[in-house]
Amino acid sequence: MTEFAHPATEYGVVEGESAELVDRNLRIGSQLWSSATAFFFFAFLFAFFYLRSLNESHLWKPKNVTPPTTLGTLTAACVVAAAVLLTLALRDHRNENRRAWRIKGAVSIALLTAAIVLQIVAWSTEGFGPTDGGYASVYIGWTGLEVLFLLGLLYWLETTLATSLRYRSARLAPGDASGDAHRTAHDIDDPLSLIRGELTALSFYANVLALIAAITWFLLFIL
């Protein structure tokens, strides 16, 4: 295996991948990850209806277990708004309006950050924990997992926007796009060519999380 890490490795075998190939890989990857994400939440969806139907000793949702509806609504609204903006940002990029999509991307970052902060504030104002009945355990686990995935989406979006800004006017020396000093040619001739694929995958996954956020809001705060 040492030959793969040798300084004299022939990098030509991995250089010059087409943007179309990377674009397709990103789309497929986002679809697979979206499916996996949905399955994470199916466990809480099942637990919600199962424990709610049992309601042993009428302890499914004691009177003191009441999460702040306003904060929950605002959290879901921020996630949905971010997903809508990312869909519009993808349309702007397809129309070659780079400045418009970057603005929408930046606003989406702010909205996702706000959603995470609002959920943390909600946890800090609640007077119950995961041991206070079935609803409380489902609520804490469900919202905690949602915040975890939102953090992942936030990081993904931030790196995509940073790439777009970093390479918007720079001329790259061989290997710069990969950050590997041993490469003698670009692995990616134009990093900006990957932005559309990133946005396509991002907007798809953001819409999946927005749907999950809407279901979360309805089940945990309305039903």
Side-chain angles (χ1 to χ4, degrees):
M1 295 296 291
T2 56
E3 64 270 17
F4 293 110
H6 195 275
T9 299
E10 176 52 56
Y11 281 98
V13 296
V14 293
E15 289 169 351
E17 283 191 345
S18 66
E20 292 75 16
L21 175 61
V22 179
D23 181 83
R24 184 183 65 182
N25 290 342
L26 285 169
R27 288 200 308 269
I28 295 173
S30 70
Q31 292 165 4
L32 291 173
W33 182 232
S34 296
S35 301
T37 300
F39 274 104
F40 275 107
F41 287 95
F42 275 141
F44 291 102
L45 187 66
F46 172 79
F48 178 89
F49 286 107
Y50 179 71
L51 295 176
R52 186 171 181 263
S53 63
L54 287 180
N55 194 20
E56 291 187 354
S57 302
H58 300 285
L59 292 177
W60 156 247
K61 189 178 181 182
K63 291 183 179 180
N64 65 311
V65 179
T66 306
T69 302
T70 300
L71 290 175
T73 302
L74 289 174
T75 300
C78 285
V79 178
V80 172
V84 171
L85 278 178
L86 284 176
T87 302
L88 295 176
L90 175 60
R91 186 187 66 180
D92 288 336
H93 194 278
R94 287 172 175 165
N95 292 332
E96 303 299 329
N97 193 342
R98 306 298 171 83
R99 183 174 182 274
W101 96 253
R102 288 174 183 139
I103 292 173
K104 290 183 175 67
V107 175
S108 296
I109 288 176
L111 286 169
L112 290 173
T113 303
I116 294 169
V117 171
L118 286 169
Q119 183 57 63
I120 293 174
V121 171
W123 288 332
S124 67
T125 60
E126 293 159 357
F128 61 88
T131 60
D132 295 324
Y135 174 89
S137 62
V138 171
Y139 169 83
I140 296 296
W142 190 322
T143 54
L145 189 64
E146 185 180 21
V147 165
L148 183 64
F149 283 112
L150 288 177
L151 280 170
L153 177 63
L154 178 62
Y155 176 77
W156 185 7
L157 175 56
E158 187 277 330
T159 54
T160 301
L161 183 59
T163 299
S164 175
L165 292 171
R166 179 180 181 183
Y167 297 113
R168 66 186 184 278
S169 59
R171 294 182 62 85
L172 302 176
D176 281 356
S178 66
D180 190 339
H182 294 292
R183 291 183 185 269
T184 58
H186 293 304
D187 55 338
I188 302 168
D189 287 328
D190 180 13
L192 293 179
S193 65
L194 305 181
I195 298 299
R196 185 166 302 176
E198 293 275 8
L199 277 176
T200 302
L202 267 169
S203 62
F204 181 84
Y205 187 63
N207 278 282
V208 170
L209 287 186
L211 177 60
I212 291 173
I215 295 172
T216 302
W217 171 77
F218 178 75
L219 292 181
L220 298 183
F221 296 95
I222 303 302
L223 189 63

